[in-house]
mmCIF file of all heavy atoms in Angstrom:
data_model
loop_
_atom_site.group_PDB
_atom_site.id
_atom_site.type_symbol
_atom_site.label_atom_id
_atom_site.label_comp_id
_atom_site.label_asym_id
_atom_site.label_seq_id
_atom_site.Cartn_x
_atom_site.Cartn_y
_atom_site.Cartn_z
ATOM 1 N N GLY R 386 85.588 102.596 97.830
ATOM 2 C CA GLY R 386 86.189 103.360 98.924
ATOM 3 C C GLY R 386 86.791 104.679 98.437
ATOM 4 O O GLY R 386 86.811 105.674 99.165
ATOM 5 N N TRP R 387 87.243 104.689 97.167
ATOM 6 C CA TRP R 387 87.842 105.904 96.620
ATOM 7 C C TRP R 387 86.793 106.968 96.339
ATOM 8 O O TRP R 387 87.106 108.168 96.317
ATOM 9 C CB TRP R 387 88.686 105.581 95.385
ATOM 10 C CG TRP R 387 89.763 104.614 95.753
ATOM 11 C CD1 TRP R 387 89.824 103.289 95.434
ATOM 12 C CD2 TRP R 387 90.888 104.881 96.604
ATOM 13 N NE1 TRP R 387 90.939 102.721 96.020
ATOM 14 C CE2 TRP R 387 91.606 103.672 96.734
ATOM 15 C CE3 TRP R 387 91.366 106.025 97.266
ATOM 16 C CZ2 TRP R 387 92.771 103.582 97.494
ATOM 17 C CZ3 TRP R 387 92.534 105.932 98.018
ATOM 18 C CH2 TRP R 387 93.212 104.722 98.128
ATOM 19 N N TYR R 388 85.544 106.542 96.132
ATOM 20 C CA TYR R 388 84.448 107.502 96.016
ATOM 21 C C TYR R 388 84.170 108.125 97.394
ATOM 22 O O TYR R 388 84.001 109.340 97.512
ATOM 23 C CB TYR R 388 83.197 106.801 95.469
ATOM 24 C CG TYR R 388 82.018 107.717 95.267
ATOM 25 C CD1 TYR R 388 82.074 108.766 94.362
ATOM 26 C CD2 TYR R 388 80.835 107.522 95.971
ATOM 27 C CE1 TYR R 388 80.980 109.604 94.169
ATOM 28 C CE2 TYR R 388 79.743 108.346 95.775
ATOM 29 C CZ TYR R 388 79.817 109.386 94.869
ATOM 30 O OH TYR R 388 78.740 110.215 94.684
ATOM 31 N N THR R 389 84.162 107.277 98.411
ATOM 32 C CA THR R 389 84.001 107.790 99.780
ATOM 33 C C THR R 389 85.116 108.786 100.100
ATOM 34 O O THR R 389 84.872 109.848 100.684
ATOM 35 C CB THR R 389 84.010 106.620 100.776
ATOM 36 O OG1 THR R 389 83.057 105.640 100.352
ATOM 37 C CG2 THR R 389 83.662 107.089 102.184
ATOM 38 N N ALA R 390 86.331 108.460 99.682
ATOM 39 C CA ALA R 390 87.468 109.367 99.907
ATOM 40 C C ALA R 390 87.282 110.680 99.145
ATOM 41 O O ALA R 390 87.557 111.767 99.669
ATOM 42 C CB ALA R 390 88.773 108.690 99.485
ATOM 43 N N ALA R 391 86.793 110.592 97.901
ATOM 44 C CA ALA R 391 86.590 111.797 97.091
ATOM 45 C C ALA R 391 85.486 112.679 97.698
ATOM 46 O O ALA R 391 85.634 113.902 97.777
ATOM 47 C CB ALA R 391 86.250 111.409 95.652
ATOM 48 N N LEU R 392 84.394 112.049 98.163
ATOM 49 C CA LEU R 392 83.322 112.826 98.807
ATOM 50 C C LEU R 392 83.829 113.488 100.086
ATOM 51 O O LEU R 392 83.443 114.612 100.417
ATOM 52 C CB LEU R 392 82.136 111.920 99.155
ATOM 53 C CG LEU R 392 81.293 111.397 97.998
ATOM 54 C CD1 LEU R 392 80.141 110.543 98.551
ATOM 55 C CD2 LEU R 392 80.731 112.534 97.153
ATOM 56 N N THR R 393 84.680 112.779 100.790
ATOM 57 C CA THR R 393 85.248 113.331 102.025
ATOM 58 C C THR R 393 86.072 114.580 101.705
ATOM 59 O O THR R 393 85.969 115.602 102.397
ATOM 60 C CB THR R 393 86.110 112.267 102.718
ATOM 61 O OG1 THR R 393 85.266 111.168 103.086
ATOM 62 C CG2 THR R 393 86.795 112.825 103.959
ATOM 63 N N MET R 394 86.875 114.508 100.636
ATOM 64 C CA MET R 394 87.659 115.680 100.230
ATOM 65 C C MET R 394 86.729 116.834 99.875
ATOM 66 O O MET R 394 86.999 117.991 100.244
ATOM 67 C CB MET R 394 88.546 115.318 99.037
ATOM 68 C CG MET R 394 89.511 116.424 98.655
ATOM 69 S SD MET R 394 90.755 116.737 99.940
ATOM 70 C CE MET R 394 90.967 118.512 99.807
ATOM 71 N N ARG R 395 85.626 116.532 99.198
ATOM 72 C CA ARG R 395 84.696 117.592 98.822
ATOM 73 C C ARG R 395 84.071 118.251 100.060
ATOM 74 O O ARG R 395 83.930 119.485 100.133
ATOM 75 C CB ARG R 395 83.611 117.049 97.888
ATOM 76 C CG ARG R 395 82.574 118.068 97.477
ATOM 77 C CD ARG R 395 83.247 119.286 96.794
ATOM 78 N NE ARG R 395 82.312 120.370 96.603
ATOM 79 C CZ ARG R 395 81.715 120.663 95.438
ATOM 80 N NH1 ARG R 395 81.978 119.963 94.350
ATOM 81 N NH2 ARG R 395 80.873 121.662 95.356
ATOM 82 N N MET R 396 83.731 117.417 101.053
ATOM 83 C CA MET R 396 83.183 118.002 102.288
ATOM 84 C C MET R 396 84.222 118.877 102.979
ATOM 85 O O MET R 396 83.904 119.917 103.549
ATOM 86 C CB MET R 396 82.685 116.896 103.219
ATOM 87 C CG MET R 396 81.388 116.249 102.721
ATOM 88 S SD MET R 396 80.601 115.164 103.954
ATOM 89 C CE MET R 396 81.651 113.720 103.821
ATOM 90 N N LEU R 397 85.478 118.459 102.897
ATOM 91 C CA LEU R 397 86.558 119.223 103.532
ATOM 92 C C LEU R 397 86.750 120.577 102.832
ATOM 93 O O LEU R 397 86.917 121.606 103.499
ATOM 94 C CB LEU R 397 87.844 118.396 103.484
ATOM 95 C CG LEU R 397 88.997 118.851 104.358
ATOM 96 C CD1 LEU R 397 88.634 118.830 105.833
ATOM 97 C CD2 LEU R 397 90.215 117.961 104.118
ATOM 98 N N THR R 398 86.704 120.582 101.500
ATOM 99 C CA THR R 398 86.840 121.870 100.794
ATOM 100 C C THR R 398 85.610 122.741 101.049
ATOM 101 O O THR R 398 85.737 123.946 101.235
ATOM 102 C CB THR R 398 87.068 121.697 99.271
ATOM 103 O OG1 THR R 398 85.980 120.982 98.695
ATOM 104 C CG2 THR R 398 88.365 120.972 98.984
ATOM 105 N N ASP R 399 84.412 122.133 101.082
ATOM 106 C CA ASP R 399 83.191 122.912 101.333
ATOM 107 C C ASP R 399 83.192 123.540 102.733
ATOM 108 O O ASP R 399 82.525 124.552 102.965
ATOM 109 C CB ASP R 399 81.943 122.034 101.184
ATOM 110 C CG ASP R 399 81.591 121.757 99.725
ATOM 111 O OD1 ASP R 399 82.237 122.337 98.834
ATOM 112 O OD2 ASP R 399 80.666 120.957 99.478
ATOM 113 N N ALA R 400 83.920 122.921 103.659
ATOM 114 C CA ALA R 400 83.926 123.420 105.039
ATOM 115 C C ALA R 400 84.662 124.752 105.148
ATOM 116 O O ALA R 400 84.533 125.456 106.149
ATOM 117 C CB ALA R 400 84.586 122.388 105.953
ATOM 118 N N GLN R 401 85.437 125.102 104.120
ATOM 119 C CA GLN R 401 86.168 126.370 104.092
ATOM 120 C C GLN R 401 86.926 126.650 105.386
ATOM 121 O O GLN R 401 86.794 127.713 105.991
ATOM 122 C CB GLN R 401 85.197 127.516 103.766
ATOM 123 C CG GLN R 401 84.491 127.281 102.429
ATOM 124 C CD GLN R 401 83.792 128.503 101.898
ATOM 125 O OE1 GLN R 401 82.824 128.976 102.494
ATOM 126 N NE2 GLN R 401 84.286 129.043 100.800
ATOM 127 N N LEU R 402 87.681 125.659 105.807
ATOM 128 C CA LEU R 402 88.563 125.846 106.951
ATOM 129 C C LEU R 402 89.551 126.957 106.636
ATOM 130 O O LEU R 402 89.994 127.103 105.501
ATOM 131 C CB LEU R 402 89.352 124.555 107.226
ATOM 132 C CG LEU R 402 88.517 123.313 107.499
ATOM 133 C CD1 LEU R 402 89.439 122.123 107.738
ATOM 134 C CD2 LEU R 402 87.604 123.526 108.680
ATOM 135 N N ASP R 403 89.928 127.698 107.640
ATOM 136 C CA ASP R 403 90.851 128.813 107.431
ATOM 137 C C ASP R 403 92.287 128.296 107.540
ATOM 138 O O ASP R 403 92.993 128.584 108.509
ATOM 139 C CB ASP R 403 90.549 129.910 108.451
ATOM 140 C CG ASP R 403 91.370 131.160 108.166
ATOM 141 O OD1 ASP R 403 91.912 131.278 107.050
ATOM 142 O OD2 ASP R 403 91.457 131.995 109.074
ATOM 143 N N ILE R 404 92.699 127.491 106.547
ATOM 144 C CA ILE R 404 94.056 126.958 106.530
ATOM 145 C C ILE R 404 94.807 127.666 105.413
ATOM 146 O O ILE R 404 94.420 127.604 104.243
ATOM 147 C CB ILE R 404 94.053 125.429 106.345
ATOM 148 C CG1 ILE R 404 93.443 124.776 107.596
ATOM 149 C CG2 ILE R 404 95.469 124.904 106.075
ATOM 150 C CD1 ILE R 404 93.553 123.278 107.650
#
Side-chain angles (χ1 to χ4, degrees):
Chain R
W387 301 107
Y388 182 63
T389 308
L392 289 181
T393 297
M394 187 66 215
R395 178 57 190 258
M396 287 191 283
L397 194 61
T398 59
D399 284 354
Q401 302 194 294
L402 302 179
D403 187 16
I404 293 188

